[in-house]
Structures are given as C-alpha cells and as structure tokens.
Amino acid sequence: NLGLNRNVYTYVGGAFSPSSPISIASQPVHESNSDITAEHLGLTPENVGDYDGDGNQDEDDVTAAREAVLRIARGVNEYDPYVPIAQMGDPIHSRPEVIVYDGDINDADSDGVIEPTFAIAVSTNEGYFHLFNATNGEELFSFIPKETLPLIWQINKALPTGSGATRFDTYGLDASPVVLWVDNNGDNVISSLDGDRVIAFLSQRRGGRNLYALDITEVTAPKLLWHIEGGVTAGFDELG
C-alpha cells in the first residue's frame, strides 16, 4: 500500500563513525531537499536531453529532471504530486523477512490483549529497502542508499539501450535483507521496554559491492549504523 505521504529516506553525506549512527529521517527523498543533487541522481545535460522542451539542452533541463525524478522516487507522479505511484520495484532475489514488534506481555492493552505489530522487510532492484506493516500493507518507511539513487532515472525515464529492456537489466539491492534480533530476555518478541534491538543488513548482490546496516528498532526513527563500500572501505578490497 504505497500512498502519497510515504516516508522515503536516503543518506548522501560522507563518512561517519559507527559510534554516531545517522538518523536517515533527517534526509527525506524529496525535491525540496537540496542535499540531494542532480549528480547524486546521475543526471547530466547529455543524458536528460531537452527535458523541459524549450528547444535548448542546458542546466534547466537537469533541474527539471531532478525534480521529476525525486517525485518519482518518493512515490508520486512526476507531473501531479497528488497522484501516487502504486508500484514498487521487483524483489526477484529478495526473500521477505517477518519481524514481530512489541509483543511483550508488558504491552498488553487494558483488556489484557497483546497486540504485536508485524512488519515485513524486503529489498528491491529499484534500489530500495522497504518496511511494511504486515496487517494493513502500509509502508512504514523505505530507504534508498545514495549509490542506488541513479537507478530511479535509469528505470523510470531513460530510454532502453542494448538488447534488453532497461528495467530488467537493472539490479539494485538484489539480495534478501538479513535481520538480527537482539532479544535481551529471550521471549522471541521485540519490545523497546526490554531494550531489544532490530538490525537489518542490506547487500547488493548483482547490484554492486556495498553493504549497509540499519537500526530499525524504532520504525519512526530508523538509523544508518554503517556502510561498507566494496573496494573502497579499508579491509574490504575484494568485497563483491
């Protein structure tokens, strides 16, 4: 269930210490977020062409293309921000992971009924990690690393080249998320009252050489714990 008011996040900053994780909610994927540049999206005057249709191929086209791509990236029609895009990328090599939040007896309602929240985590070849409410299908949030931001243009706007359709020659987060439960009291449920944690590890498989770790204990305040760039991060020269 992908509506108009999605929580889509990224991180386009530089290196950071794992001891100081990044609140990705502070970097929304939105055309008003000036931190996300055309360069992050892989846009140049050469590949966007005369996007604004004024007969000239210049930086104005890049600006228009950036706004359109970021609208698409946050799940709305590029021409009408009140029309949602209902489709998500393909999770062809990603197996969904089910997570149980707040199922502890301490979280029971006044009637004594325990009402845990079930979430589904999945990654896609559009470059997103999604977390959904398993009960109603609504997206809790999604995260797209800066390395996969150029896929939005490539998948949705670029003209196909070569022998295959561009969409199906593209890989982003092409692997299943691996979810670590830190279940302090061993009750098989995640409860913030117990100091439990949920960490999602993301990888790219055919999509690239990078690894990411997200703290998704609080679904309204996810954090990027670390990012390993294969061939760049010290000690990971042969990753990928």
Side-chain angles (χ1 to χ4, degrees):
N1 185 3
L2 303 176
L4 285 173
N5 299 310
R6 293 175 58 192
N7 299 309
V8 184
Y9 308 128
T10 189
Y11 175 67
V12 295
F16 63 95
S17 170
S19 62
S20 301
I22 300 296
S23 171
I24 57 174
S26 66
Q27 289 221 344
V29 173
H30 197 281
E31 58 271 23
S32 65
N33 183 356
S34 60
D35 289 341
I36 306 174
T37 65
E39 183 178 1
H40 289 127
L41 300 169
L43 304 177
T44 65
E46 290 72 29
N47 67 9
V48 304
D50 182 18
Y51 194 85
D52 60 9
D54 66 354
N56 299 311
Q57 190 171 322
D58 52 28
E59 287 299 324
D60 288 342
D61 297 298
V62 175
T63 299
R66 173 192 172 275
E67 181 167 334
V69 168
L70 286 174
R71 282 184 173 178
I72 293 170
R74 66 181 176 92
V76 299
N77 183 279
E78 62 182 292
Y79 304 110
D80 188 343
Y82 299 101
V83 176
I85 297 174
Q87 299 81 19
M88 60 181 275
D90 68 87
I92 188 169
H93 295 135
S94 178
R95 181 179 62 189
E97 183 80 19
V98 178
I99 307 167
V100 183
Y101 287 96
D102 296 325
D104 195 286
I105 189 64
N106 294 321
D107 295 320
D109 294 340
S110 57
D111 59 4
V113 176
I114 303 170
E115 297 180 352
T117 298
F118 293 88
I120 297 175
V122 67
S123 299
T124 76
N125 280 322
E126 201 169 17
Y128 288 80
F129 167 78
H130 298 273
L131 192 67
F132 294 99
N133 183 315
T135 301
N136 58 24
E138 291 184 359
E139 184 183 61
L140 297 168
F141 79 89
S142 60
F143 169 69
I144 179 167
K146 67 178 179 181
E147 289 79 12
T148 61
L149 283 170
L151 295 182
I152 305 303
W153 170 267
Q154 181 179 342
I155 290 170
N156 294 280
K157 300 298 295 182
L159 294 175
T161 59
S163 59
T166 297
R167 179 65 191 90
F168 297 104
D169 288 343
T170 302
Y171 298 93
L173 293 179
D174 183 42
S176 301
V178 176
V179 178
L180 171 67
W181 288 27
V182 181
D183 184 9
N184 285 320
N185 63 0
D187 62 357
N188 294 318
V189 293
I190 295 299
S191 172
S192 57
L193 295 176
D194 299 328
D196 298 338
R197 297 180 72 192
V198 187
I199 311 296
F201 300 96
L202 316 177
S203 60
Q204 292 194 270
R205 197 172 176 267
R206 291 185 180 183
R209 304 176 63 185
N210 300 320
L211 301 173
Y212 309 87
L214 290 178
D215 185 332
I216 57 173
T217 307
E218 300 291 340
V219 298
T220 58
K223 298 179 178 64
L224 181 62
L225 295 178
W226 48 256
H227 164 214
I228 294 172
E229 189 172 354
V232 176
T233 303
F236 294 89
D237 294 345
E238 298 183 15
L239 178 64

